[in-house]
Amino acid sequence: MTTTSNLSHIHRFVPGQDRQHPPLLLLHGTGGDENDLIGLGELVAPGRALISPRGKVLENGMPRFFRRLSEGVFDEEDLRRRASDLAGFIAEASEAYGLGAPVALGFSNGANIAAALLLLHPQALAGAVLLRPMTPLRSPPPAELGGKPVLMLSGAADPIVPAANAGALADVLRERGASVRHETLPAGHGLTQADVQQTKAWLAGL
Ligand code: MLT
């Protein structure tokens, strides 16, 4: 379980023993890396294969999955390009490790690129857990999400994500046919024990 760069993204891969359920694609927040969410993945989905890429954009030395112009204002051209690159990485990793389409588990910036993947490359993911997500695209394209399961967990006191913004993302995903459960927890932008419990219970029911 070491970091490798043999595919297009530096990443970690944990093979797991559970091949009945989809693998998890772990997507870290700003300033994180491929190591950050491994422990969370093992906690919420014991035994699943884990694929954990590192975001390729550096903001003052901090890895991210796409560029932003300021907090909450995204460089959408870069976002579209990076989402396409990440979809390519998922296909490479699936082939290299013999896996089916993963369920994304993304936090903050990682949740936002996962939401962009759902909207731009829906075939890349089997579903997604979006922890503290916001709407990634001002004008999301039409997409057919065909009942794809999505769990969104927002924080009632999140200083980064306004409630209306997260609500708009849930609406956009539902309009495109995703099966969305959106909960707002008594939390800020950081994760809490409730995030762990809700994610674990939701993944167990997939
Ligand atoms: C983003 O830039 O994706 C969001 O503002 C979340 C963050 O990374 O702080």
Side-chain angles (χ1 to χ4, degrees):
M1 194 172 66
T2 49
T3 294
T4 59
S5 55
N6 54 333
L7 303 179
S8 63
H9 281 61
I10 293 171
H11 66 283
R12 274 175 73 176
F13 172 62
V14 180
Q17 316 84 37
D18 174 1
R19 289 298 170 110
Q20 280 184 320
H21 293 99
L24 293 189
L25 176 76
L26 304 174
L27 299 168
H28 62 78
T30 301
D33 67 18
E34 67 280 9
N35 299 304
D36 269 32
L37 297 183
I38 297 278
L40 179 64
E42 289 174 339
L43 208 55
V44 296
R48 298 261 190 122
L50 306 174
I51 316 162
S52 187
R54 185 191 303 177
K56 286 185 167 185
V57 168
L58 286 180
E59 182 184 272
N60 302 321
M62 297 186 295
R64 287 174 51 84
F65 286 96
F66 57 89
R67 286 188 63 228
R68 63 181 163 183
L69 305 175
S70 60
E71 178 134 325
V73 182
F74 302 145
D75 175 341
E76 293 196 17
E77 198 184 316
D78 186 68
L79 169 56
R80 285 172 189 268
R81 187 159 68 84
R82 303 287 176 183
S84 169
D85 281 359
L86 190 57
F89 167 76
I90 295 168
E92 285 170 30
S94 300
E95 167 137 8
Y97 300 123
L99 305 167
V103 171
L105 172 60
F107 166 62
S108 189
N109 182 246
N112 298 340
I113 191 91
L117 275 177
L118 285 170
L119 294 166
L120 298 168
H121 302 279
Q123 77 295 340
L125 297 178
V129 179
L130 308 177
L131 304 172
R132 310 296 183 272
M134 56 195 294
T135 305
L137 295 161
R138 276 185 303 264
S139 303
E144 185 38 74
L145 293 179
K148 249 180 236 298
V150 178
L151 174 65
M152 288 178 52
L153 297 179
S154 298
D158 188 332
I160 295 177
V161 184
N165 185 305
L169 175 60
D171 290 345
V172 160
L173 293 171
R174 283 194 186 107
E175 280 159 19
R176 285 158 179 72
S179 170
V180 179
R181 180 161 142 218
H182 182 198
E183 304 277 343
T184 300
L185 304 175
H189 197 67
L191 300 181
T192 66
Q193 206 46 44
D195 289 279
V196 176
Q197 282 157 1
Q198 295 239 10
T199 301
K200 186 169 184 176
W202 186 83
L203 284 170
L206 274 195

